[in-house]
PDB file of all heavy atoms in Angstrom:
ATOM      1  N   ILE A   1       0.885  -1.166   0.000  1.00  0.00           N
ATOM      2  CA  ILE A   1       0.000   0.000   0.000  1.00  0.00           C
ATOM      3  C   ILE A   1       0.921   1.213   0.000  1.00  0.00           C
ATOM      4  O   ILE A   1       1.723   1.392   0.925  1.00  0.00           O
ATOM      5  CB  ILE A   1      -0.931   0.025   1.220  1.00  0.00           C
ATOM      6  CG1 ILE A   1      -1.876  -1.181   1.201  1.00  0.00           C
ATOM      7  CG2 ILE A   1      -1.735   1.331   1.256  1.00  0.00           C
ATOM      8  CD1 ILE A   1      -2.654  -1.366   2.492  1.00  0.00           C
ATOM      9  N   ALA A   2       0.832   2.030  -1.026  1.00  0.00           N
ATOM     10  CA  ALA A   2       1.690   3.204  -1.163  1.00  0.00           C
ATOM     11  C   ALA A   2       0.870   4.460  -0.910  1.00  0.00           C
ATOM     12  O   ALA A   2      -0.164   4.668  -1.538  1.00  0.00           O
ATOM     13  CB  ALA A   2       2.316   3.256  -2.552  1.00  0.00           C
ATOM     14  N   MET A   3       1.322   5.269   0.034  1.00  0.00           N
ATOM     15  CA  MET A   3       0.639   6.519   0.376  1.00  0.00           C
ATOM     16  C   MET A   3       1.468   7.690  -0.168  1.00  0.00           C
ATOM     17  O   MET A   3       2.616   7.871   0.227  1.00  0.00           O
ATOM     18  CB  MET A   3       0.486   6.628   1.899  1.00  0.00           C
ATOM     19  CG  MET A   3       0.225   8.018   2.441  1.00  0.00           C
ATOM     20  SD  MET A   3      -1.206   8.855   1.735  1.00  0.00           S
ATOM     21  CE  MET A   3      -1.000  10.479   2.484  1.00  0.00           C
ATOM     22  N   GLY A   4       0.855   8.466  -1.067  1.00  0.00           N
ATOM     23  CA  GLY A   4       1.557   9.579  -1.701  1.00  0.00           C
ATOM     24  C   GLY A   4       1.621  10.802  -0.816  1.00  0.00           C
ATOM     25  O   GLY A   4       1.091  11.862  -1.157  1.00  0.00           O
ATOM     26  N   GLY A   5       2.268  10.685   0.328  1.00  0.00           N
ATOM     27  CA  GLY A   5       2.407  11.796   1.266  1.00  0.00           C
ATOM     28  C   GLY A   5       2.990  11.302   2.572  1.00  0.00           C
ATOM     29  O   GLY A   5       3.643  10.252   2.627  1.00  0.00           O
ATOM     30  N   ILE A   6       2.721  12.048   3.650  1.00  0.00           N
ATOM     31  CA  ILE A   6       3.301  11.742   4.952  1.00  0.00           C
ATOM     32  C   ILE A   6       2.349  10.929   5.816  1.00  0.00           C
ATOM     33  O   ILE A   6       2.666   9.844   6.286  1.00  0.00           O
ATOM     34  CB  ILE A   6       3.672  13.041   5.698  1.00  0.00           C
ATOM     35  CG1 ILE A   6       4.695  13.850   4.898  1.00  0.00           C
ATOM     36  CG2 ILE A   6       4.232  12.716   7.082  1.00  0.00           C
ATOM     37  CD1 ILE A   6       5.007  15.198   5.508  1.00  0.00           C
ATOM     38  N   GLY A   7       1.151  11.460   6.054  1.00  0.00           N
ATOM     39  CA  GLY A   7       0.247  10.926   7.071  1.00  0.00           C
ATOM     40  C   GLY A   7      -0.279   9.542   6.759  1.00  0.00           C
ATOM     41  O   GLY A   7      -0.646   9.232   5.624  1.00  0.00           O
ATOM     42  N   LEU A   8      -0.339   8.709   7.798  1.00  0.00           N
ATOM     43  CA  LEU A   8      -0.855   7.347   7.663  1.00  0.00           C
ATOM     44  C   LEU A   8      -2.045   7.096   8.586  1.00  0.00           C
ATOM     45  O   LEU A   8      -2.451   5.950   8.766  1.00  0.00           O
ATOM     46  CB  LEU A   8       0.253   6.333   7.985  1.00  0.00           C
ATOM     47  CG  LEU A   8       1.434   6.292   7.011  1.00  0.00           C
ATOM     48  CD1 LEU A   8       2.536   5.403   7.561  1.00  0.00           C
ATOM     49  CD2 LEU A   8       0.994   5.810   5.636  1.00  0.00           C
ATOM     50  N   ASN A   9      -2.619   8.165   9.156  1.00  0.00           N
ATOM     51  CA  ASN A   9      -3.691   7.980  10.123  1.00  0.00           C
ATOM     52  C   ASN A   9      -4.981   7.466   9.473  1.00  0.00           C
ATOM     53  O   ASN A   9      -5.883   7.007  10.171  1.00  0.00           O
ATOM     54  CB  ASN A   9      -3.981   9.284  10.883  1.00  0.00           C
ATOM     55  CG  ASN A   9      -4.208  10.466   9.974  1.00  0.00           C
ATOM     56  OD1 ASN A   9      -3.300  10.894   9.274  1.00  0.00           O
ATOM     57  ND2 ASN A   9      -5.411  11.007   9.975  1.00  0.00           N
ATOM     58  N   HIS A  10      -5.074   7.507   8.143  1.00  0.00           N
ATOM     59  CA  HIS A  10      -6.253   6.985   7.441  1.00  0.00           C
ATOM     60  C   HIS A  10      -6.026   5.567   6.918  1.00  0.00           C
ATOM     61  O   HIS A  10      -6.872   5.037   6.186  1.00  0.00           O
ATOM     62  CB  HIS A  10      -6.624   7.910   6.283  1.00  0.00           C
ATOM     63  CG  HIS A  10      -5.564   8.026   5.226  1.00  0.00           C
ATOM     64  ND1 HIS A  10      -4.285   8.438   5.514  1.00  0.00           N
ATOM     65  CD2 HIS A  10      -5.587   7.773   3.892  1.00  0.00           C
ATOM     66  CE1 HIS A  10      -3.574   8.445   4.401  1.00  0.00           C
ATOM     67  NE2 HIS A  10      -4.337   8.038   3.414  1.00  0.00           N
ATOM     68  N   ILE A  11      -4.893   4.975   7.288  1.00  0.00           N
ATOM     69  CA  ILE A  11      -4.565   3.617   6.848  1.00  0.00           C
ATOM     70  C   ILE A  11      -4.383   2.732   8.079  1.00  0.00           C
ATOM     71  O   ILE A  11      -3.676   3.108   9.013  1.00  0.00           O
ATOM     72  CB  ILE A  11      -3.274   3.607   6.001  1.00  0.00           C
ATOM     73  CG1 ILE A  11      -3.472   4.448   4.728  1.00  0.00           C
ATOM     74  CG2 ILE A  11      -2.871   2.181   5.634  1.00  0.00           C
ATOM     75  CD1 ILE A  11      -2.213   4.594   3.884  1.00  0.00           C
ATOM     76  N   ASP A  12      -5.013   1.560   8.070  1.00  0.00           N
ATOM     77  CA  ASP A  12      -4.844   0.605   9.168  1.00  0.00           C
ATOM     78  C   ASP A  12      -3.526  -0.137   8.938  1.00  0.00           C
ATOM     79  O   ASP A  12      -3.496  -1.266   8.430  1.00  0.00           O
ATOM     80  CB  ASP A  12      -6.024  -0.369   9.211  1.00  0.00           C
ATOM     81  CG  ASP A  12      -6.048  -1.208  10.492  1.00  0.00           C
ATOM     82  OD1 ASP A  12      -4.971  -1.400  11.086  1.00  0.00           O
ATOM     83  OD2 ASP A  12      -7.137  -1.672  10.888  1.00  0.00           O
ATOM     84  N   VAL A  13      -2.443   0.524   9.319  1.00  0.00           N
ATOM     85  CA  VAL A  13      -1.100   0.003   9.051  1.00  0.00           C
ATOM     86  C   VAL A  13      -0.881  -1.335   9.752  1.00  0.00           C
ATOM     87  O   VAL A  13      -0.329  -2.280   9.171  1.00  0.00           O
ATOM     88  CB  VAL A  13      -0.029   1.029   9.487  1.00  0.00           C
ATOM     89  CG1 VAL A  13       1.376   0.454   9.301  1.00  0.00           C
ATOM     90  CG2 VAL A  13      -0.181   2.325   8.707  1.00  0.00           C
ATOM     91  N   GLU A  14      -1.324  -1.424  11.001  1.00  0.00           N
ATOM     92  CA  GLU A  14      -1.104  -2.640  11.773  1.00  0.00           C
ATOM     93  C   GLU A  14      -1.774  -3.845  11.111  1.00  0.00           C
ATOM     94  O   GLU A  14      -1.181  -4.933  11.012  1.00  0.00           O
ATOM     95  CB  GLU A  14      -1.637  -2.455  13.193  1.00  0.00           C
ATOM     96  CG  GLU A  14      -1.359  -3.623  14.126  1.00  0.00           C
ATOM     97  CD  GLU A  14      -1.805  -3.355  15.550  1.00  0.00           C
ATOM     98  OE1 GLU A  14      -2.109  -2.188  15.879  1.00  0.00           O
ATOM     99  OE2 GLU A  14      -1.852  -4.322  16.339  1.00  0.00           O
ATOM    100  N   HIS A  15      -3.005  -3.661  10.636  1.00  0.00           N
ATOM    101  CA  HIS A  15      -3.709  -4.778   9.994  1.00  0.00           C
ATOM    102  C   HIS A  15      -3.032  -5.155   8.674  1.00  0.00           C
ATOM    103  O   HIS A  15      -2.898  -6.347   8.357  1.00  0.00           O
ATOM    104  CB  HIS A  15      -5.166  -4.414   9.758  1.00  0.00           C
ATOM    105  CG  HIS A  15      -5.991  -5.545   9.231  1.00  0.00           C
ATOM    106  ND1 HIS A  15      -6.174  -6.721   9.926  1.00  0.00           N
ATOM    107  CD2 HIS A  15      -6.671  -5.694   8.049  1.00  0.00           C
ATOM    108  CE1 HIS A  15      -6.927  -7.543   9.216  1.00  0.00           C
ATOM    109  NE2 HIS A  15      -7.244  -6.944   8.072  1.00  0.00           N
ATOM    110  N   ALA A  16      -2.598  -4.144   7.928  1.00  0.00           N
ATOM    111  CA  ALA A  16      -1.912  -4.422   6.667  1.00  0.00           C
ATOM    112  C   ALA A  16      -0.644  -5.236   6.911  1.00  0.00           C
ATOM    113  O   ALA A  16      -0.390  -6.246   6.245  1.00  0.00           O
ATOM    114  CB  ALA A  16      -1.580  -3.113   5.952  1.00  0.00           C
ATOM    115  N   GLN A  17       0.140  -4.801   7.885  1.00  0.00           N
ATOM    116  CA  GLN A  17       1.394  -5.488   8.168  1.00  0.00           C
ATOM    117  C   GLN A  17       1.156  -6.899   8.697  1.00  0.00           C
ATOM    118  O   GLN A  17       1.946  -7.809   8.429  1.00  0.00           O
ATOM    119  CB  GLN A  17       2.225  -4.663   9.149  1.00  0.00           C
ATOM    120  CG  GLN A  17       2.734  -3.364   8.532  1.00  0.00           C
ATOM    121  CD  GLN A  17       3.460  -2.482   9.534  1.00  0.00           C
ATOM    122  OE1 GLN A  17       3.280  -2.608  10.744  1.00  0.00           O
ATOM    123  NE2 GLN A  17       4.278  -1.573   9.035  1.00  0.00           N
ATOM    124  N   SER A  18       0.052  -7.098   9.417  1.00  0.00           N
ATOM    125  CA  SER A  18      -0.254  -8.441   9.925  1.00  0.00           C
ATOM    126  C   SER A  18      -0.554  -9.411   8.795  1.00  0.00           C
ATOM    127  O   SER A  18      -0.453 -10.633   8.966  1.00  0.00           O
ATOM    128  CB  SER A  18      -1.452  -8.378  10.889  1.00  0.00           C
ATOM    129  OG  SER A  18      -2.674  -8.197  10.175  1.00  0.00           O
ATOM    130  N   LYS A  19      -0.901  -8.856   7.619  1.00  0.00           N
ATOM    131  CA  LYS A  19      -1.184  -9.692   6.459  1.00  0.00           C
ATOM    132  C   LYS A  19      -0.002  -9.724   5.487  1.00  0.00           C
ATOM    133  O   LYS A  19      -0.134 -10.201   4.351  1.00  0.00           O
ATOM    134  CB  LYS A  19      -2.432  -9.175   5.741  1.00  0.00           C
ATOM    135  CG  LYS A  19      -3.666  -9.123   6.646  1.00  0.00           C
ATOM    136  CD  LYS A  19      -4.933  -8.933   5.865  1.00  0.00           C
ATOM    137  CE  LYS A  19      -5.296 -10.191   5.110  1.00  0.00           C
ATOM    138  NZ  LYS A  19      -6.642 -10.130   4.491  1.00  0.00           N
ATOM    139  N   GLY A  20       1.136  -9.210   5.944  1.00  0.00           N
ATOM    140  CA  GLY A  20       2.331  -9.233   5.107  1.00  0.00           C
ATOM    141  C   GLY A  20       2.367  -8.165   4.043  1.00  0.00           C
ATOM    142  O   GLY A  20       3.179  -8.240   3.109  1.00  0.00           O
ATOM    143  N   ILE A  21       1.533  -7.152   4.173  1.00  0.00           N
ATOM    144  CA  ILE A  21       1.502  -6.052   3.204  1.00  0.00           C
ATOM    145  C   ILE A  21       2.383  -4.917   3.715  1.00  0.00           C
ATOM    146  O   ILE A  21       2.221  -4.460   4.851  1.00  0.00           O
ATOM    147  CB  ILE A  21       0.060  -5.542   3.002  1.00  0.00           C
ATOM    148  CG1 ILE A  21      -0.849  -6.668   2.512  1.00  0.00           C
ATOM    149  CG2 ILE A  21       0.036  -4.366   2.022  1.00  0.00           C
ATOM    150  CD1 ILE A  21      -2.335  -6.318   2.552  1.00  0.00           C
ATOM    151  N   GLU A  22       3.303  -4.466   2.901  1.00  0.00           N
ATOM    152  CA  GLU A  22       4.157  -3.343   3.284  1.00  0.00           C
ATOM    153  C   GLU A  22       3.428  -2.029   3.014  1.00  0.00           C
ATOM    154  O   GLU A  22       2.691  -1.905   2.021  1.00  0.00           O
ATOM    155  CB  GLU A  22       5.477  -3.390   2.532  1.00  0.00           C
ATOM    156  CG  GLU A  22       6.316  -4.623   2.863  1.00  0.00           C
ATOM    157  CD  GLU A  22       7.742  -4.510   2.374  1.00  0.00           C
ATOM    158  OE1 GLU A  22       8.214  -3.372   2.148  1.00  0.00           O
ATOM    159  OE2 GLU A  22       8.393  -5.557   2.223  1.00  0.00           O
ATOM    160  N   VAL A  23       3.633  -1.065   3.901  1.00  0.00           N
ATOM    161  CA  VAL A  23       3.006   0.253   3.760  1.00  0.00           C
ATOM    162  C   VAL A  23       4.105   1.293   3.580  1.00  0.00           C
ATOM    163  O   VAL A  23       4.986   1.437   4.431  1.00  0.00           O
ATOM    164  CB  VAL A  23       2.138   0.600   4.987  1.00  0.00           C
ATOM    165  CG1 VAL A  23       1.489   1.974   4.806  1.00  0.00           C
ATOM    166  CG2 VAL A  23       1.063  -0.467   5.193  1.00  0.00           C
ATOM    167  N   TYR A  24       4.061   1.988   2.454  1.00  0.00           N
ATOM    168  CA  TYR A  24       5.066   3.009   2.140  1.00  0.00           C
ATOM    169  C   TYR A  24       4.441   4.397   2.238  1.00  0.00           C
ATOM    170  O   TYR A  24       3.300   4.616   1.815  1.00  0.00           O
ATOM    171  CB  TYR A  24       5.588   2.847   0.715  1.00  0.00           C
ATOM    172  CG  TYR A  24       6.342   1.576   0.422  1.00  0.00           C
ATOM    173  CD1 TYR A  24       6.602   1.202  -0.907  1.00  0.00           C
ATOM    174  CD2 TYR A  24       6.807   0.736   1.432  1.00  0.00           C
ATOM    175  CE1 TYR A  24       7.300   0.038  -1.199  1.00  0.00           C
ATOM    176  CE2 TYR A  24       7.506  -0.427   1.149  1.00  0.00           C
ATOM    177  CZ  TYR A  24       7.746  -0.775  -0.173  1.00  0.00           C
ATOM    178  OH  TYR A  24       8.433  -1.916  -0.477  1.00  0.00           O
ATOM    179  N   ASN A  25       5.201   5.335   2.773  1.00  0.00           N
ATOM    180  CA  ASN A  25       4.857   6.750   2.651  1.00  0.00           C
ATOM    181  C   ASN A  25       6.129   7.514   2.318  1.00  0.00           C
ATOM    182  O   ASN A  25       7.179   6.910   2.105  1.00  0.00           O
ATOM    183  CB  ASN A  25       4.168   7.279   3.907  1.00  0.00           C
ATOM    184  CG  ASN A  25       5.081   7.295   5.122  1.00  0.00           C
ATOM    185  OD1 ASN A  25       6.101   6.597   5.166  1.00  0.00           O
ATOM    186  ND2 ASN A  25       4.728   8.070   6.122  1.00  0.00           N
ATOM    187  N   VAL A  26       6.050   8.843   2.261  1.00  0.00           N
ATOM    188  CA  VAL A  26       7.210   9.646   1.874  1.00  0.00           C
ATOM    189  C   VAL A  26       7.375  10.768   2.901  1.00  0.00           C
ATOM    190  O   VAL A  26       6.971  11.913   2.665  1.00  0.00           O
ATOM    191  CB  VAL A  26       7.062  10.228   0.453  1.00  0.00           C
ATOM    192  CG1 VAL A  26       8.391  10.801  -0.037  1.00  0.00           C
ATOM    193  CG2 VAL A  26       6.569   9.167  -0.515  1.00  0.00           C
ATOM    194  N   PRO A  27       7.971  10.454   4.065  1.00  0.00           N
ATOM    195  CA  PRO A  27       8.050  11.442   5.139  1.00  0.00           C
ATOM    196  C   PRO A  27       8.775  12.732   4.768  1.00  0.00           C
ATOM    197  O   PRO A  27       8.425  13.798   5.254  1.00  0.00           O
ATOM    198  CB  PRO A  27       8.804  10.683   6.239  1.00  0.00           C
ATOM    199  CG  PRO A  27       8.556   9.241   5.953  1.00  0.00           C
ATOM    200  CD  PRO A  27       8.497   9.137   4.463  1.00  0.00           C
ATOM    201  N   ALA A  28       9.775  12.635   3.891  1.00  0.00           N
ATOM    202  CA  ALA A  28      10.554  13.830   3.554  1.00  0.00           C
ATOM    203  C   ALA A  28      10.082  14.516   2.285  1.00  0.00           C
ATOM    204  O   ALA A  28      10.615  15.553   1.898  1.00  0.00           O
ATOM    205  CB  ALA A  28      12.037  13.458   3.417  1.00  0.00           C
ATOM    206  N   GLY A  29       9.063  13.942   1.638  1.00  0.00           N
ATOM    207  CA  GLY A  29       8.699  14.418   0.316  1.00  0.00           C
ATOM    208  C   GLY A  29       8.168  15.837   0.269  1.00  0.00           C
ATOM    209  O   GLY A  29       8.358  16.543  -0.719  1.00  0.00           O
ATOM    210  N   SER A  30       7.485  16.258   1.311  1.00  0.00           N
ATOM    211  CA  SER A  30       6.840  17.574   1.272  1.00  0.00           C
ATOM    212  C   SER A  30       7.362  18.509   2.356  1.00  0.00           C
ATOM    213  O   SER A  30       6.712  19.507   2.671  1.00  0.00           O
ATOM    214  CB  SER A  30       5.328  17.404   1.416  1.00  0.00           C
ATOM    215  OG  SER A  30       5.016  16.682   2.600  1.00  0.00           O
TER     216      SER A  30
END
């Protein structure tokens, strides 16, 4: 799951990771 920005509060990161899905964001991008 790729997030085009910084914030991840709208993504259930913990559930994604529990299913082996990596979650990417871009903390320095903006």
Side-chain angles (χ1 to χ4, degrees):
I1 297 170
M3 161 56 187
I6 300 175
L8 294 172
N9 52 294
H10 62 303
I11 298 175
D12 191 335
V13 176
E14 185 175 347
H15 186 61
Q17 292 175 339
S18 75
K19 303 194 72 171
I21 301 169
E22 296 193 21
V23 180
Y24 296 166
N25 66 340
V26 192
S30 56

